[in-house]
């Protein structure tokens, strides 16, 4: 048990929460700020080992008391946040968004949200900045550790009765978890990020400090403390979102935190500064409240220039939560008997659970005006056969039985296939779709993010299938190409650096840049298809930096007059500059023809997300069934044997 107040640990908490907050608010130079969570894990491990191992070794451990103390510490502030979000959602969230919030509240209060968010990871996943409780994944990891760690330690010690055996148990868990983390980071990044087994080594690393009984000398402590903070500092600059995480790189910040705690230096000017200690004391509450404010900015389209205000607001809400909820409830519940405390917390838990579950089931649509409900339905205006046909094993024909055109690609192929069907010259003809979500139709490419429906076999075998069954039938390739190279299209970040979602593992990493590898593989793929079939490439449709139906419904709910919403054409050109050059090369080298949707979806200044009260998209980048019909005249040129032209 830690008996004296540790200013150094409180300073680490402050550093951790500051880095996470600045990272989430997109403050420059804090691209590695997410390591703050890893710092928290090391601190938790140190504190929990002191409590659990200390009590077990002295034969004074109580499971009930331990779990209750953790609940007293974590639940009250989390309960308050959950209630506030549910009330806010009643007034501000659309039906589907409110259902999702209900599900996330439920998972968060039961500390299973990390598993929930892992299950949601995928190409059609709701954007991270629209998940109000996404940050609770780390609380869930810690709680799962709190549940298992005492059980393992208690019964292991009961069997072996050895202090040394406990130490080697920590070493074994550390090594096993670390190896799993490295493996998952490559094979399943989302699993590596969200799961306890790949994060446990960070917590155990902190816990191993319990077994270091000899305190360093004063001089050595200063060296260790300096080295620890130095490792943390450089972590912020050499680690970013493109880094596989957690992975061996995570040893930098976790070792840094380990050394700072080991050094036990508590008298530095910065460490003991009032501001650092103030933030450290409120770090949990600040962490809880900052992320919903990040989502709030995204939800209402608030520009990043106002981030400073919301950062300050995070500190204010963190202080209010700490001063009026976290601290008082912890003290008050400590004064009650354990049984009374348990029933109070249980009553709160059940009440919030039942409310969240009802919200999850119904979404309470009647609370919204009818006009909002109609706009929400625009998000469902998609290919009615999507579930059946959008996977790498399906082969669906839309229209008549005679294949007149083939569409290949990802979900963007799915979003235009019915327009291709309408463009066919004969009712006897149909559009064959071979597509899968997240399926970049480029040989040799590998999606870095987890994806359950691989398209590698589809891409590799397509040329042979065309030769055998569909020779000389026109092919339309439709992919969201800039997404794979640059990630999501952000309002204030047109071409997001270091957000790439693809790699080319069979190509020498030092051979060329990613764009050069992409170009070579893309041209090879297109030229191979063009040997047996006429190839048409759909230039990527404009990607809106917001969810169009959601914004329309939100503006209607706020009483704002609905006008055509969209984004500047210049943003579209900037986002696709490299892609446009690549398509011109594909046209010149492979004979592919370019289908340019710009004149059908944009005017000279604006690319439209909606017009005349109708959404052209079902989200931010997939055309709706209403929107894709704008491209029917473009697709008719395929069958009129007209050269479609090139991009200016």
């Amino acid at each position: 048990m830690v008996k004296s107040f540790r200013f150094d640990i409180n300073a680490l908490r402050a550093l951790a929460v500051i880095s996470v907050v600045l990272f989430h608010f997109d403050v420059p130079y804090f691209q590695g700020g997410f390591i703050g969570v890893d710092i928290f894990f090391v601190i938790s491990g140190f504190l929990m080992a002191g409590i659990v191992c200390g009590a077990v070794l002295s034969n004074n451990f109580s499971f009930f008391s331990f779990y209750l103390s953790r609940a007293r510490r974590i639940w009250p502030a989390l309960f308050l946040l959950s209630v506030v979000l549910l009330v806010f959602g009643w007034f501000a969230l659309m039906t589907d968004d409110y259902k999702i919030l209900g599900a996330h509240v439920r998972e968060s209060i039961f500390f299973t949200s990390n598993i929930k968010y892992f299950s949601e990871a995928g190409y059609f996943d709701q954007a991270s900045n629209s998940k109000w409780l996404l940050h609770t994944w780390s609380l869930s990891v810690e709680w799962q550790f709190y549940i298992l760690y005492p059980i393992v330690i208690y019964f292991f010690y009961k069997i072996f009765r050895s202090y040394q055996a406990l130490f080697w148990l920590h070493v074994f868990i550390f090594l096993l978890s670390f190896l799993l983390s490295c493996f998952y980071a490559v094979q399943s990044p989302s699993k590596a990020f969200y799961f306890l087994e790949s994060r446990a080594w960070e917590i155990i690393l902190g816990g191993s400090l319990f077994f270091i009984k000899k305190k360093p000398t004063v001089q050595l402590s200063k060296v260790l403390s300096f080295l620890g903070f130095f490792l943390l500092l450089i972590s912020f600059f050499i680690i970013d979102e493109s880094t596989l995480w957690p992975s061996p790189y995570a040893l930098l910040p976790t070792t840094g935190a380990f050394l700072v705690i080991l050094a036990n230096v508590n008298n530095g000017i910065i460490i003991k500064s009032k501001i650092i200690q103030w933030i450290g004391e409120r770090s949990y509450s600040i962490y809880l409240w900052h992320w919903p404010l990040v989502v709030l900015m995204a939800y209402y389209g608030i520009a990043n220039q106002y981030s400073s205000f919301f950062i300050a607001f995070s500190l204010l809400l963190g202080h209010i939560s700490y001063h009026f909820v976290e601290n008082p409830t912890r003290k008050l519940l400590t004064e009650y008997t354990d049984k009374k405390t348990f029933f109070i917390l249980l009553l709160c838990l059940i009440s919030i659970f039942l409310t969240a579950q009802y919200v999850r089931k119904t979404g309470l649509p009647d609370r919204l005006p009818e006009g909002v409900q109609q706009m929400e339905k625009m998000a469902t205006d998609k290919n009615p056969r999507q579930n059946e046909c959008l996977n790498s094993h399906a082969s669906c024909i839309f229209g008549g039985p005679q294949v007149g055109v083939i569409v290949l690609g990802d979900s963007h192929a799915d979003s235009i296939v019915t327009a291709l069907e309408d463009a066919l010259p004969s009712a006897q003809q149909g559009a064959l779709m071979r597509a899968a979500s997240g399926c970049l139709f480029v040989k040799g490419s590998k999606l870095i993010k987890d994806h359950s429906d691989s398209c590698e076999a589809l891409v590799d075998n397509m040329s042979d299938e065309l030769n055998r069954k569909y020779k000389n039938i026109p092919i339309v390739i439709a992919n969201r190409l800039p997404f794979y190279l640059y990630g999501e299209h952000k309002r204030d970040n047109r071409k997001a650096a270091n957000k790439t979602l693809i790699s080319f593992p069979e190509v020498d990493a030092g051979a060329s840049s990613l764009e050069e590898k992409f170009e070579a593989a893309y041209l090879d793929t297109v030229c191979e298809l063009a040997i047996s079939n006429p190839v048409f490439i759909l230039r990527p449709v404009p990607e809106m930096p917001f969810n169009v139906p959601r914004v329309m419904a939100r503006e209607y709910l706020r009483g704002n007059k609905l006008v055509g919403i969209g984004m500047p054409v210049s943003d579209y050109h900037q986002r696709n500059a490299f892609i446009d050059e690549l398509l011109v090369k594909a046209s010149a080298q492979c004979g592919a023809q370019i289908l340019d949707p710009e004149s059908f979806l944009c005017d000279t200044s604006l690319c439209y997300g909606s017009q005349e009260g109708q959404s052209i998209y079902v989200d931010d980048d997939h055309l709706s069934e209403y929107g894709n019909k704008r491209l029917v005249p473009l697709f008719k040129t395929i069958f009129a044997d007209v050269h479609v032209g090139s991009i200016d």
Side-chain angles (χ1 to χ4, degrees), residues 123-124 382-396 398 407-415 417 433-439 451-454 458 478 622:
Y123 190 67
F124 282 113
K382 57 183 69 174
N383 181 358
R385 297 177 65 188
Q386 184 181 89
N387 292 338
E388 170 196 356
C389 299
L390 188 58
N391 68 78
S392 59
H393 307 294
S395 181
C396 294
F398 293 77
V407 58
L408 307 175
D410 55 18
S411 57
H412 279 218
D414 171 81
S415 71
V417 67
M433 187 178 83
R434 299 299 308 277
S437 59
C439 181
H451 203 275
S452 59
D453 196 5
S454 171
L458 173 61
H622 296 90

Side-chain angles (χ1 to χ4, degrees), residues 106-412:
R106 181 195 64 187
E107 303 297 333
S108 296
I109 61 175
F110 282 111
F111 303 111
T112 55
S113 62
N114 61 325
I115 300 170
K116 175 67 173 175
Y117 294 128
F118 168 76
S119 71
E120 293 177 347
Y123 190 67
F124 282 113
D125 184 21
Q126 186 191 26
S128 62
N129 62 4
S130 63
K131 296 180 180 180
W132 299 87
L133 288 165
L134 179 63
H135 60 321
T136 63
W137 73 267
S138 63
L139 299 182
S140 296
V141 168
E142 287 199 23
W143 249 99
Q144 289 159 20
F145 181 84
Y146 296 158
I147 291 170
L148 295 175
Y149 182 70
I151 296 172
V152 172
I153 295 300
Y154 182 85
F155 288 104
F156 187 86
Y157 184 72
K158 285 292 183 183
I159 294 170
F160 292 97
R161 292 288 180 179
S162 168
Y163 176 88
Q164 287 76 18
L166 277 184
F167 167 75
W168 288 112
L169 174 64
H170 282 71
V171 172
F172 172 76
I173 296 173
F174 172 87
L175 292 174
L176 179 62
S177 174
F178 181 73
L179 291 174
L180 276 174
S181 175
C182 296
F183 175 75
Y184 285 163
V186 176
Q187 297 298 321
S188 181
S190 291
K191 187 179 289 187
F193 189 86
Y194 285 120
F195 276 18
L196 170 64
E197 59 262 35
S198 54
R199 290 288 191 168
W201 69 269
E202 297 178 306
I203 309 176
I204 287 292
L205 179 64
S208 65
L209 285 159
F210 173 81
F211 299 94
I212 302 176
K213 296 301 183 183
K214 187 175 181 181
K215 187 177 179 181
T217 63
V218 174
Q219 290 302 318
L220 181 57
S221 290
K222 291 180 180 179
V223 172
L224 293 175
S225 181
F226 174 82
L227 180 59
F229 280 114
F230 176 74
L231 290 176
L232 291 172
L233 183 63
I234 64 173
S235 297
F236 292 124
F237 294 100
I238 70 173
I239 292 168
D240 59 38
E241 286 181 283
S242 67
T243 308
L244 290 177
W245 201 263
S247 64
Y249 283 104
L251 285 170
L252 274 175
T254 53
T255 301
F258 175 92
L259 292 176
V260 170
I261 298 172
L262 175 62
N264 197 7
V265 174
N266 286 280
N267 54 3
I269 295 175
I270 297 178
I271 287 176
K272 292 192 73 172
S273 71
K274 290 184 178 179
I275 255 186
I276 292 294
Q277 291 300 312
W278 187 90
I279 293 173
E281 288 172 352
R282 292 154 180 79
S283 57
Y284 173 57
S285 283
I286 293 171
Y287 181 79
L288 278 183
W289 287 92
H290 87 282
W291 178 254
L293 294 181
V294 173
V295 178
L296 188 71
M297 287 184 66
Y299 191 74
Y300 286 112
I302 300 171
N304 280 352
Q305 67 190 75
Y306 296 102
S307 290
S308 298
F309 168 79
F310 282 92
I311 291 171
F313 197 30
S314 299
L315 298 178
L316 175 62
L317 289 179
H319 171 69
I320 293 171
S321 174
Y322 173 78
H323 189 70
F324 292 102
V325 180
E326 184 185 345
N327 214 24
T329 54
R330 186 168 43 187
K331 291 178 180 177
L332 180 64
L333 293 175
T334 304
E335 294 174 1
Y336 293 152
T337 64
D338 285 354
K339 186 180 292 186
K340 185 175 181 179
T341 299
F342 171 76
F343 281 112
I344 289 173
L345 292 174
L346 183 62
L347 180 62
C348 293
L349 178 69
I350 292 172
S351 300
I352 296 172
F353 162 70
L354 292 176
T355 304
Q357 186 70 354
Y358 186 69
V359 169
R360 186 192 75 82
K361 287 282 189 181
T362 66
L364 299 164
D366 292 341
R367 67 197 161 81
L368 298 170
E370 185 177 344
V372 173
Q373 296 180 50
Q374 291 300 319
M375 289 175 186
E376 281 196 298
K377 291 179 181 177
M378 296 178 189
T380 64
D381 183 30
K382 57 183 69 174
N383 181 358
R385 297 177 65 188
Q386 184 181 89
N387 292 338
E388 170 196 356
C389 299
L390 188 58
N391 68 78
S392 59
H393 307 294
S395 181
C396 294
I397 297 177
F398 293 77
Q402 181 186 345
V403 175
V405 66
I406 301 167
V407 58
L408 307 175
D410 55 18
S411 57
H412 279 218

